[in-house]
Amino acid sequence: LCEDKDTYTYCRSSELPAPPPKLPDTWGGIVSFSPEVFCSIDVSAEECELVISSLLSAMMAWGNYGPVEYWVLGPEVEALEKLANVNCQRRVDRGDYSDMDECLEIQLSKTGEHTHKFEYYRAVSAGEVKSARGNTIGRSAGRNGNRHWGIHYFTSSFPGLGWGSQKLVFHEYFHAVQHAHLQTKDYDERGSTRVRGPRFHIESSADYMAFTALDQAHRSGDLDVGSTPYSYEETMEGILKIPGRPPYIWFYALLAHKFGHEVFLDVFYPNVEELGWEGAFVKAYGISGREFHTEFVAFLDLPLDQQLAILPKVD
């Protein structure tokens, strides 16, 4: 359900209600209200609809951890300013910022001090618009909110259309799943190696879960395939062939093959805050992360057909 609000486009599920103005403390729990998507007026209706449909499909795969706000910026400065006003009024009304002007100054800042705010994503979108002339920045999105706000808060450049754009939303939403399993409000603890694990863990696991869930959503009919068909097998094979660094997405493919896909969400994440990344890994898989990494390195030396054989078989 998408509505033109004159200064922005607002989307939510047609079957779930929007969160109430006064938010309950639902952190870490499954909620019964819709994610909310806010798009600047220079973002197409199709792109805004892609974001909400992808979010809902990801929630069907992993659970509806909320509340979720997803803010999408196009390339135009005037559209940015209008959406920033909507955002900052909401932040002030909900007590996330005490001062409207301070919020606007941060969201509109072009300095490096305030990275990953609205102006950053507008600039990324502007770079995409110019890409036809050889100035490609690439799409960008991030989970950029604060834990004490009590919401999973995302900001994004315009996503584009097609399965790659859907995958971007799945990837970002999985970060909400990861953070939902950490109750602490201590910023340093939430970002510590103890709970985050090795450097590759956060992003590679989100990529693996996104690629896999997107394939399932397309095959089940929960999410429209769109004009560019997605091949899970071809995508995973292509990742294996990227030179220069280990394809850690396959670390998680190998884990799922050996121990079952469900262990990651059902056993590992519910224990990661208490036991830390390494302790939760041992509890979930009965082997240390370092030991399994040795198996993973050996797996990378196998012939391609043996590597591809571990992917889930589909009809």
Side-chain angles (χ1 to χ4, degrees), residues 10-278:
Y10 173 79
C11 294
R12 65 172 177 84
S13 166
S14 61
E15 300 177 357
L16 300 175
K22 184 174 177 58
L23 295 174
D25 183 8
T26 60
W27 192 267
I30 301 297
V31 301
S32 59
F33 37 76
S34 175
E36 297 179 285
V37 176
F38 304 79
C39 297
S40 59
I41 55 175
D42 54 344
V43 174
S44 71
E46 291 80 9
E47 288 174 303
C48 211
E49 290 165 6
L50 178 144
V51 173
I52 187 64
S53 63
S54 299
L55 274 175
L56 292 169
S57 292
M59 289 173 174
M60 291 174 69
W62 305 319
N64 183 0
Y65 292 94
V68 167
E69 291 184 15
Y70 205 106
W71 298 79
V72 185
L73 282 300
E76 302 300 329
V77 173
E78 183 179 356
L80 156 74
E81 293 171 347
K82 291 178 178 179
L83 192 65
N85 272 281
V86 174
N87 178 276
C88 287
Q89 188 63 62
R90 173 173 277 230
R91 299 280 71 81
V92 170
D93 290 346
R94 296 192 172 185
D96 305 328
Y97 278 97
S98 59
D99 185 83
M100 183 79 170
D101 290 338
E102 177 191 6
C103 177
L104 286 171
E105 180 181 356
I106 290 173
Q107 294 290 30
L108 301 178
S109 173
K110 295 184 179 181
T111 68
E113 179 184 358
H114 300 300
T115 57
H116 301 294
K117 303 303 182 183
F118 275 22
E119 166 57 24
Y120 169 84
Y121 290 99
R122 183 210 64 80
V124 172
S125 290
E128 277 287 295
V129 170
K130 296 177 181 177
S131 64
R133 297 196 293 272
N135 183 14
T136 302
I137 297 178
R139 300 184 184 106
S140 182
R143 184 193 171 281
N144 296 313
N146 297 314
R147 163 67 179 90
H148 66 267
W149 291 0
I151 63 173
H152 299 286
Y153 174 91
F154 300 89
T155 36
S156 174
S157 65
F158 74 87
L161 300 171
W163 71 260
S165 303
Q166 294 171 331
K167 180 264 175 181
L168 177 67
V169 177
F170 272 68
H171 173 104
E172 292 306 325
Y173 179 69
F174 192 74
H175 288 323
V177 178
Q178 293 169 324
H179 280 273
H181 287 85
L182 302 176
Q183 286 293 328
T184 179
K185 295 182 180 180
D186 186 294
Y187 179 84
D188 292 332
E189 176 64 11
R190 296 184 69 83
S192 68
T193 303
R194 187 189 80 85
V195 296
R196 288 175 65 92
R199 182 180 297 180
F200 66 83
H201 169 64
I202 295 294
E203 297 301 329
S204 295
S205 60
D207 264 347
Y208 171 72
M209 296 297 285
F211 281 126
T212 305
L214 180 61
D215 181 60
Q216 294 170 345
H218 283 173
R219 292 181 184 279
S220 67
D222 289 336
L223 186 62
D224 182 28
V225 174
S227 59
T228 54
Y230 168 59
S231 171
Y232 176 60
E233 295 80 4
E234 290 180 7
T235 300
M236 292 294 286
E237 180 179 350
I239 291 168
L240 271 175
K241 297 177 179 178
I242 297 174
R245 61 178 180 175
Y248 280 115
I249 292 174
W250 278 86
F251 180 97
Y252 293 94
L254 187 60
L255 269 182
H257 172 69
K258 292 196 64 174
F259 300 100
H261 185 79
E262 69 283 351
V263 176
F264 196 45
L265 289 180
D266 292 350
V267 183
F268 174 80
Y269 268 111
N271 288 286
V272 74
E273 183 166 32
E274 178 183 357
L275 302 179
W277 190 93
E278 187 63 48

